[in-house]
Amino acid sequence: MSTRLTVAQALVRFLSVQFTERDGVRHRTVAGTWGIFGHGNVAGVGQALLEAGPGAMPYHQGRNEQAMVHAAVGYARTRHGLSTMACTTSIGPGATNLVTGAALATVNRVPVLLLPGDVFATRPADPVLQQLEVPWAYDVTVNDALRPVSRYFDRIWRPEMLPASLLQAMRALTDPVATGAVTLALPQDVQAEAYDWPDELFRERVWHVRRPVPDAAALAEAAALLRGARRPLIVAGGGVRISEAAPALAELATATGIPVAETQAGKGSLPWDHPLALGGIGHTGSAPADAAARAADAVLGVGTRWTDFTTASGSLFAPDARFVSLNAASFDGHKMAGLALVGDARAGLTALTTELTGHQAPPAAYDTAGWRAVTEAAFGDGSGDGPPSQSEVIGALDAVLHERDVLVNAAGSMPGDLHKLWRSRDVEQYHVEYGFSCMGYEIPAAIGVRLAAPDREVFALVGDGTYLMLPTEVVTAVQEGVPINVVIVQNHGYASIGGLSQQVGAERFGTAYRFRAPDGSFTGEPLPVDLAANAASLGLEVFTATTAKELRAALTAARESPRPTAVHVVTDPDRPGPPAEAWWDVPVAEVSTHPATREARTAYDGARPTPHTRPRL
């Protein structure tokens, strides 16, 4: 038996009956579609979504295509990669706007389905509106820009191609190792073309997400290494959270007494006050975690990619430290020249706990109490009458947010201060995108988080630079009644990169939001930009704060409001948070006519540690 549908109608019907299952719990694989329509998708995917109706495929109206992908990523990450959303665009700038979001998804190993329109397959006129012509490769379109940032890419030139491509797309979306952005480019005439589809294509399909256990011999070797260690350390990465392995991690740590440090993606794997929780690790880490890393002779990494921030640009761990990497991806498991435990994080941690039955690591004392005192001092008591520091903003959020509330952030100096200072009370509370560190992620991702977890309050923490980068989706939040809370920190520029610019001798060039001075530099008065008025004009309920005392009251009011809100606060950028506890390598110009640059190079040469380089496979 067969059913005659257009390619776009068949695509939507197929997606509506795909499910993911792990541990006996089913999830809708593609829970909805974000879209902005143009001539390249309105008559195809747009018509198909209309015909299917919200019961089969809910539709969300986006304002910026990049933001649509961020919202889908926020949703998928909150659902532990077991459910995601699709994004449909027209053929021109709408399609190319997907590239940044696709890169973010793939870097962070989070599934998202992209459905950009494309040129005519039949070429009735050439070129068509918005077509990029490549004279030496006429099958290349702007959508080919998505190839290097996608984990699976196909272009559906003919209806017959669709079934096999859909199955491959689902394979990539549901594979924790191979997942990321999945792109199906859809020529606009093919979208509207009818075909007789076998009814088998539209039968409900369940994609089982496995929990593979690492090889038994490798587990035994890893357990022997940890048993023989005098100063072992566990580093929890994002794989702990995606695998829902936090309870298994706590069980292993408690049973063995091995302390736990957390990467940006893994922060919150243990509650902040767990007796074995040392906090963030690396350049933006805590003093106890970095001290443990320097002393460690055996390190168990769980679901981490071992980025430069985690390893302090290769300088944090001792040269003779030995590594075990429990990771679903063999590629990551072999990093740090370590023993690879290739498998699911939860299954691997449970198996290691069994292998280490009866073992207790030698006791080691790290000054967690001292770091808590540093944190409390940075947070302040909320009674200040002047503009709060950025650390005091974080302290106010810490005081106001409830245990199940979620804090979303991505770029600038805030992720560093949050990684150092934030006290996660729930495994889902800390939602910081630092794999791609993409300005503009926060607001749309907060919408995705709230759609995925409607019972949680969600706060998007943004600087003025990030807000101005991509504020458009606040209109979507207002339109759909998604009550997110946007905290706008006004410090008149790119504060994070401004500080780094000064550190490397670039004298904060191009980082301030100020008028030009007579000498041509941006050192005049701050721009009279009223971001609170802007947020209100887009439909948010706005609360303002000028002091630390007012900030806590404003955050409380925002949390209690049933509407999407913004809290606007002007901060004091001259009171930075606690300094970095480890190195991060940003090279300084080796020669310069600027005295500040020469001084910075001298400081760089004097401070740069010798990286403990390890071969990578």
Side-chain angles (χ1 to χ4, degrees):
M1 298 292 292
S2 64
T3 302
R4 191 163 182 82
L5 299 170
T6 69
V7 167
Q9 291 163 359
L11 166 68
V12 171
R13 184 174 294 190
F14 172 87
L15 294 177
S16 72
V17 292
Q18 304 303 301
F19 295 87
T20 307
E21 176 270 322
R22 186 170 72 183
D23 303 330
V25 180
R26 292 206 324 177
H27 307 263
R28 176 81 176 266
T29 309
V30 179
T33 298
W34 289 86
I36 297 176
F37 295 112
H39 71 284
N41 66 337
V42 65
V45 175
Q47 189 281 331
L49 289 170
L50 170 67
E51 186 154 313
M57 182 57 68
Y59 165 71
H60 303 279
Q61 187 179 73
R63 268 73 194 176
N64 177 284
E65 293 84 359
Q66 180 190 144
M68 297 191 317
V69 187
H70 294 334
V73 169
Y75 183 96
R77 180 173 168 180
T78 303
R79 293 293 182 93
H80 308 114
L82 299 171
S83 185
T84 187
M85 291 184 166
C87 300
T88 178
T89 75
S90 192
I91 80 167
T96 54
N97 280 350
L98 294 173
V99 173
T100 296
L104 180 146
T106 297
V107 165
N108 286 284
R109 319 279 173 86
V110 177
V112 62
L113 177 60
L114 308 181
L115 304 172
D118 214 318
V119 300
F120 279 77
T122 52
R123 299 182 183 171
D126 219 8
V128 297
L129 178 63
Q130 297 182 319
Q131 179 176 342
L132 172 71
E133 294 183 275
V134 182
W136 61 89
Y138 228 59
D139 61 342
V140 171
T141 76
V142 296
N143 285 331
D144 287 274
L146 287 158
R147 286 183 184 271
V149 293
S150 297
R151 295 306 296 267
Y152 176 76
F153 179 98
D154 199 3
R155 182 177 284 111
I156 311 302
W157 291 114
R158 293 292 306 139
E160 294 91 333
M161 297 172 61
L162 184 66
S165 188
L166 285 174
L167 295 178
Q168 286 296 326
M170 293 305 301
R171 184 266 311 163
L173 287 171
T174 59
D175 185 340
V177 176
T179 201
V182 170
T183 300
L184 298 182
L186 302 170
Q188 53 192 297
D189 53 345
V190 176
Q191 289 182 48
E193 184 175 346
Y195 186 76
D196 293 317
W197 306 96
D199 288 343
E200 173 67 21
L201 183 64
F202 308 121
R203 293 200 178 108
E204 185 177 290
R205 186 182 298 267
V206 179
W207 299 80
H208 177 62
V209 180
R210 299 171 179 81
R211 290 192 180 277
V213 179
D215 175 74
L219 278 168
E221 186 178 351
L225 176 62
L226 292 171
R227 283 181 181 275
R230 291 174 293 115
R231 296 177 302 278
L233 175 68
I234 298 171
V235 176
V240 173
R241 296 176 59 180
I242 287 292
S243 180
E244 299 177 275
L249 173 67
E251 183 180 357
L252 174 62
T254 302
T256 61
I258 302 177
V260 177
E262 298 166 327
T263 70
Q264 276 280 11
K267 191 170 174 68
S269 297
L270 288 185
W272 74 276
D273 55 355
H274 189 284
L276 291 166
L278 301 180
I281 190 171
H283 174 67
T284 55
S286 72
D290 285 351
R294 293 185 179 99
D297 56 353
V299 183
L300 169 62
V302 186
T304 176
R305 296 187 297 125
W306 297 115
T307 67
D308 61 340
F309 263 58
T310 298
T311 66
S313 296
S315 69
L316 183 59
F317 299 98
D320 58 350
R322 298 184 64 188
F323 286 79
V324 177
S325 287
L326 170 57
N327 206 293
S330 172
F331 175 75
D332 290 317
H334 284 91
K335 290 177 180 177
M336 306 298 281
L339 169 63
L341 294 182
V342 180
D344 173 74
R346 195 181 81 177
L349 286 168
T350 300
L352 268 177
T353 302
T354 301
E355 289 280 344
L356 291 168
T357 297
H359 173 66
Q360 273 287 310
Y366 299 102
D367 190 12
T368 53
W371 187 251
R372 291 180 186 180
V374 170
T375 300
E376 292 287 349
F379 282 175
D381 61 7
S383 64
D385 291 325
S389 66
Q390 184 164 283
S391 297
E392 288 175 323
V393 172
I394 296 172
L397 285 161
D398 177 82
V400 170
L401 266 63
H402 293 191
E403 180 176 318
R404 285 180 47 79
D405 294 352
V406 180
L407 182 63
V408 182
N409 187 244
S413 59
M414 289 177 185
D417 285 346
L418 286 167
H419 194 211
K420 284 195 217 51
L421 302 173
W422 187 256
R423 303 189 294 197
S424 297
R425 288 154 281 182
D426 179 89
V427 70
E428 301 299 332
Q429 186 172 71
Y430 188 86
H431 187 113
V432 175
E433 189 285 303
Y434 214 57
F436 208 47
S437 188
C438 185
M439 295 177 69
Y441 172 81
E442 295 91 337
I443 293 172
I447 296 172
V449 172
R450 188 71 197 239
L451 290 174
D455 60 334
R456 292 179 181 264
E457 286 288 327
V458 183
F459 287 76
L461 178 59
V462 300
D464 50 341
T466 290
Y467 180 83
L468 289 170
M469 190 76 68
L470 201 59
T472 51
E473 298 322 293
V474 299
V475 178
T476 298
V478 172
Q479 178 185 38
E480 300 220 11
V482 181
I484 63 169
N485 306 288
V486 182
V487 183
I488 306 170
V489 176
Q490 173 67 272
N491 51 32
H492 303 292
Y494 301 119
S496 171
I497 203 66
L500 181 61
S501 174
Q502 186 170 4
Q503 178 184 325
V504 300
E507 300 176 344
R508 295 184 179 267
F509 177 75
T511 62
Y513 287 171
R514 294 175 177 269
F515 285 106
R516 285 191 186 272
D519 64 358
S521 64
F522 293 106
T523 56
E525 289 298 310
L527 298 178
V529 176
D530 190 339
L531 298 183
N534 177 265
S537 75
L538 296 177
L540 296 181
E541 182 179 9
V542 177
F543 304 90
T544 59
T546 59
T547 69
K549 185 186 300 183
E550 293 174 353
L551 178 58
R552 297 195 183 196
L555 290 170
T556 300
R559 191 185 183 285
E560 293 173 351
S561 173
R563 294 176 50 193
T565 72
V567 174
H568 181 270
V569 57
V570 178
T571 59
D572 181 355
D574 294 327
R575 290 194 289 140
E581 294 291 331
W583 174 255
W584 183 45
D585 198 346
V586 179
V588 179
E590 197 165 356
V591 295
S592 174
T593 59
H594 285 270
T597 307
R598 293 198 299 270
E599 291 174 12
R601 180 68 196 200
T602 299
Y604 172 81
D605 289 335
R608 179 173 52 174
T610 301
H612 306 316
T613 56
R614 300 171 187 278
R616 286 182 54 183
L617 300 179

